[in-house]
Amino acid sequence: MSIAALIVAAGRGSRAGGPQPKQWQALAGARVIDHTLAVFRALPQIAEIVLVLHKDDMDQAEAFAAQGVTVTTGGAERAASVQRGLGAIRQAEKVLIHDAARPCVSAEIIAGVIDALDQYQAAAPGLPITDALWQGSEGRVTGTQDRSALFAAQTPQGFDLAAIRAAHAAHDGQAADDVEVARAAGLTVAITQGSADNLKITRPEDFARAARILETRMDIRTGNGFDVHAFGPGDHVTLCGIDIPHTHGLVGHSDADVALHTVTDAIYGALARGDIGQHFPPSDPKWKGARSEIFLRHAAELARDMGFTLTHVDCTLICESPKIGPHVQPMRAAMAEMLGIEIDRVSVKATTSERLGFTGRGEGIACMATATLVKS
């Protein structure tokens, strides 16, 4: 069956505190909304993602659209936002409606809802209440509540698309969630397995708890690269894509950009995908004189295709000359653009070998690099 994911992110979430709505706040190296979307993007069952944003956040729409996400503007209340999101789904049989403020949802929880939709028109994860429940007034316990048949509702809540569209169109007034709308329309809703980790960020302290949960799931990898190139005839060297005037050039099959070669190998290493020579064999004449940014962009794209985010690159050039310091900023900017990351995540620095070895004798340039990738 064709399944769409509808992510609702049009709320303001004032109880969570902070300078902006909770879905845009930082969490474990990304924004809350980025973690949420990443879970659904990684699932092969999801054919389409629709994101509902507040009208004041529509400046973010273009960036999401570039990632293949359909974006629409929300309404004054959650029910209106969901209706607009349902209307933006192009083609699907089923839909999973999920709160952007639940960034710790797991693939297992989502799979449980999808499986239940084979038998039911609606399904949603729930967590059995285990704590004793009190009734209270004026700071005192006034009674107790039987918890044996109570569940804490979670998302994503899954539905037959046509059925939930009709249910929302017929519903008058507000609803706590889409299950309430579905039940008012007479739909049977199956309860699937929820999780205590599938928390909804509501209060300021929830950010720390969500970060701890996400950190236990992260696949963090570090790769190292090392390369050397000898000096030869020429009037400049190319480092990090920047041409630097020099008394010699660097010898290599491509443009001999030792810095980009090293960072490329570091990324391949973190991915356990060999080295630059395996992807771009020097025996192949089509790479003769090629710009090394081709290799680096390929490595960065491969990382994204495998579900990784490149979080940091550190590149150290080892040479007596040319002087690297005056060129560091444009080198960082060029490499950041090639990698598709912010410049403050790219480090370029240089050192000498105290006139020892081949670099000390001015025979060439060596480089070492480290790349860090994160998959959550």
Side-chain angles (χ1 to χ4, degrees):
M1 57 184 164
S2 177
I3 304 172
L6 171 54
I7 311 300
V8 185
R12 299 291 85 185
S14 58
R15 285 180 293 171
Q20 54 190 333
K22 57 191 176 184
Q23 60 267 35
W24 305 111
Q25 294 191 43
L27 174 67
R31 300 172 302 184
V32 170
I33 196 169
D34 296 325
H35 286 290
T36 303
L37 286 169
V39 178
F40 288 90
R41 277 202 200 94
L43 297 175
Q45 304 99 312
I46 304 300
E48 180 181 359
I49 298 178
V50 173
L51 177 62
V52 184
L53 298 180
H54 190 276
K55 61 182 177 62
D56 293 341
D57 298 332
M58 288 302 288
D59 58 334
Q60 303 282 341
E62 185 176 350
F64 288 116
Q67 301 169 19
V69 176
T70 300
V71 182
T72 189
T73 309
E77 304 290 343
R78 186 183 187 280
S81 293
V82 171
Q83 274 194 280
R84 292 188 181 184
L86 291 171
I89 296 173
R90 291 187 288 267
Q91 48 184 322
E93 301 169 66
K94 310 291 182 180
V95 60
L96 304 178
I97 305 174
H98 186 69
D99 295 322
R102 290 188 186 269
C104 301
V105 64
S106 67
E108 291 75 20
I109 289 176
I110 298 170
V113 175
I114 292 173
D115 289 345
L117 290 177
D118 284 335
Q119 301 179 49
Y120 298 91
Q121 285 188 299
L127 197 63
I129 301 297
T130 57
D131 293 325
L133 296 176
W134 299 335
Q135 298 168 345
S137 177
E138 297 180 351
R140 294 175 297 148
V141 177
T142 58
T144 59
Q145 174 70 48
D146 179 21
R147 64 178 186 265
S148 60
L150 296 180
F151 292 79
Q154 298 186 338
T155 66
Q157 296 176 355
F159 306 93
D160 175 88
L161 180 57
I164 195 62
R165 276 176 171 167
H168 266 282
H171 191 75
D172 185 19
Q174 297 306 307
D177 62 6
D178 300 291
V179 164
E180 182 177 341
V181 174
R183 293 192 67 251
L187 300 183
T188 299
V189 183
I191 302 174
T192 61
Q193 183 63 52
S195 170
D197 285 350
N198 186 21
L199 82 161
K200 183 176 182 180
I201 294 178
T202 305
R203 299 174 297 274
E205 59 268 26
D206 292 334
F207 286 96
R209 182 182 165 201
R212 289 193 296 270
I213 293 168
L214 290 172
E215 286 165 3
T216 63
R217 299 179 184 174
M218 285 182 176
D219 181 354
I220 301 175
R221 301 189 183 188
T222 300
N224 296 314
F226 181 79
D227 196 16
V228 298
H229 280 274
F231 285 128
D235 59 4
H236 73 278
V237 295
T238 302
L239 299 173
C240 297
I242 302 298
D243 292 339
I244 300 172
H246 190 48
T247 56
H248 296 79
L250 287 172
V251 178
H253 184 67
S254 62
D255 62 1
D257 191 329
V258 65
L260 293 191
H261 292 181
T262 309
V263 174
T264 300
D265 266 353
I267 296 171
Y268 287 145
L271 297 172
R273 288 297 183 269
D275 60 22
I276 195 170
Q278 291 176 248
H279 295 273
F280 303 94
S283 58
D284 190 335
K286 75 177 180 179
W287 306 121
K288 178 72 173 176
R291 297 286 290 184
S292 296
E293 69 174 88
I294 296 171
F295 313 148
L296 185 64
R297 290 182 187 275
H298 175 268
E301 183 177 357
L302 180 61
R304 288 189 289 270
D305 290 346
M306 293 177 63
F308 286 90
T309 299
L310 182 62
T311 62
H312 183 252
V313 165
D314 183 25
C315 174
T316 303
L317 290 154
I318 306 166
C319 59
E320 298 293 329
S321 63
K323 295 299 182 184
I324 304 300
H327 308 283
V328 162
Q329 287 307 109
M331 291 164 70
R332 292 177 64 209
M335 190 150 58
E337 189 278 327
M338 296 175 204
L339 293 169
I341 61 177
E342 300 88 350
I343 191 172
D344 62 1
R345 296 182 179 275
V346 176
S347 168
V348 176
K349 56 188 187 296
T351 187
T352 71
S353 56
E354 301 294 337
R355 300 194 177 277
L356 299 174
F358 78 93
T359 58
R361 293 190 297 271
E363 297 172 359
I365 298 179
C367 186
M368 57 185 184
T370 302
T372 303
L373 285 76
V374 176
K375 183 178 185 180
S376 58

